[in-house]
Amino acid sequence: MNLIAYLGPPGTFSEEAALAYAATRPELGLLSLTSIPAVVTAIETGAALVGVLPIENLLEGSVTYTLDLLIHETSLQIVGEIVIPIRQYLVARPGMSLDEIEVLYAHPQSLGQCRRFVERCLPGVATVASLSNSAAPAEAVADKRKAAAISTLRAAELTGTHILARDIADNLGNVTRFIVLATADAPPTGDDKTSFCFGFTEDRAGTLAGALLELAEANINMTKLESRPSKAVLGQYIFLVDVNGHREDAHVKRTLERISAKTGMIKVFGSYPRWKA
C-alpha cells in the first residue's frame, strides 16, 4: 500500500521524520506502528511501501535495535536518510504557570536531556516516566494535579497543551538521524552514501586493518565505523561502515568486492542520497 510506516504513536520525533519524508512523497500516507520490527514487517509484507526508523542520535549514539535488524533479520534496503533536530518543550494545560507545577511527565531519555532546566526551574517537582514524548502531555492533561510534561511541538499541538518554555534541552544542537527503508535502494545521484557491514570467520592480526585499507587506497571517505556483537561467537563482532559514494560507482563497487574477498561476510544495506538540511 502507499503508506509510510513509522514507530508511533503520533506526536513523536519518528512521526516528525515520517512527515518530513512525506513532504517529498505527497502521494504517500502515514502508518503508525508500535515497534521497530513491526515497521520492517509492514514493508516486507506490502502493508507499507517504505518505513522510517531511528538509527543514530547525536547524544545517545546508535539505535542498536535498528542496526541488529539490518544485520540479522531483513534484506530491506536503505533508500534515504532524514536528520531531525530534537527540540524539547515544557507544556501544560492552558492557564497553568510554571510556579504551579506539582508533577512532571516525561520520557526518561527526554528527562535526562533536559536535566539542567528541570533542576533549575522545577526543583522538587515529582517526575513520572512516560512511554513516549507524545504520551507525556496526554498523561499530564489527564492528571487532576497541576501537571506538566516534556513534549514535542507536534504532541503539544495534538493534545491542545500550552507551551510554557521552549528549547529546554541541555544541548540545543541535538539531532537524530533516521533511515528510510524499502525493498530496493536509490539510484545514483552524484552525492550518495553507502552503508554496509562485514565480519570475519577467523581471528588473526590485521584483518580489520586490511579491510579498511581498501577504502583508503581507493580514496573513499569513511564517515562512520562501529561494531556490534555477531550473536554467534562471544568476542566476535560485525563492523558497520558508512562511506561516501554509491555502490554502483565503479570505484566503490570494486572496493566492496575486494573487501568481500578479505572478509567472511559482507552485507550492503543500501546506497542513498546524502541528507541535505
Side-chain angles (χ1 to χ4, degrees):
M1 296 182 67
N2 292 332
L3 295 171
I4 304 168
Y6 71 95
L7 176 62
T12 58
F13 291 115
S14 289
E15 188 202 30
E16 187 175 342
L19 287 168
Y21 184 71
T24 68
R25 301 285 303 276
E27 77 278 12
L28 301 181
L30 297 188
L31 174 63
S32 172
L33 296 171
T34 59
S35 69
I36 289 176
V39 172
V40 171
T41 298
I43 307 165
E44 291 175 333
T45 60
L49 186 65
V50 297
V52 174
L53 288 177
I55 195 168
E56 183 181 10
N57 177 262
L58 176 68
L59 303 180
E60 308 295 334
S62 293
V63 180
T64 56
Y65 207 159
T66 300
L67 293 180
D68 287 346
L69 281 169
L70 289 173
I71 296 168
H72 301 289
E73 295 191 29
T74 186
S75 59
L76 294 176
Q77 296 276 289
I78 303 174
V79 72
E81 65 176 353
I82 303 159
V83 178
I84 297 295
I86 304 302
R87 300 184 65 188
Q88 308 279 10
Y89 298 79
L90 181 72
V91 304
R93 290 188 294 270
M96 190 183 303
S97 62
L98 187 69
D99 59 358
E100 293 180 294
I101 297 172
E102 298 172 350
V103 61
L104 176 67
Y105 286 85
H107 185 278
Q109 192 173 82
S110 294
L111 181 62
Q113 293 173 358
C114 302
R115 180 64 62 188
R116 185 183 305 149
F117 175 88
V118 173
E119 289 177 349
R120 294 177 179 179
C121 297
L122 299 172
V125 171
T127 59
V128 179
S130 298
L131 290 177
S132 70
N133 289 299
S134 60
E139 290 167 344
V141 169
D143 197 313
K144 295 180 180 180
R145 296 170 291 179
K146 298 286 188 179
I150 296 175
S151 169
T152 65
L153 180 60
R154 170 75 170 160
E157 294 169 347
L158 291 173
T159 55
T161 48
H162 174 66
I163 296 174
L164 296 179
R166 301 173 180 271
D167 294 323
I168 64 173
D170 296 347
N171 187 327
L172 298 182
N174 189 19
V175 297
T176 295
R177 177 179 169 237
F178 292 80
I179 55 171
V180 183
L181 289 180
T183 54
D185 59 359
T189 67
D191 188 14
D192 303 297
K193 291 173 67 174
T194 297
S195 297
F196 63 97
C197 72
F198 61 85
F200 303 98
T201 55
E202 56 179 321
D203 184 12
R204 56 182 176 80
T207 53
L208 177 58
L212 297 180
L213 184 61
E214 296 291 348
L215 295 173
E217 291 181 343
N219 198 31
I220 295 173
N221 185 37
M222 180 175 63
T223 59
K224 182 178 179 181
L225 172 66
E226 63 182 302
S227 64
R228 291 291 298 149
S230 69
K231 297 190 175 184
V233 178
L234 183 65
Q236 186 180 79
Y237 292 88
I238 302 294
F239 297 92
L240 299 104
V241 178
D242 286 353
V243 299
N244 290 342
H246 195 283
R247 63 179 176 81
E248 293 183 1
D249 295 342
H251 68 300
V252 176
K253 184 176 182 179
R254 288 193 302 269
T255 302
L256 290 175
E257 290 171 350
R258 289 196 293 267
I259 291 174
S260 178
K262 290 186 173 182
T263 60
M265 65 82 70
I266 187 169
K267 183 178 183 181
V268 178
F269 300 137
S271 295
Y272 47 96
R274 292 202 293 170
W275 171 255
K276 298 180 181 65

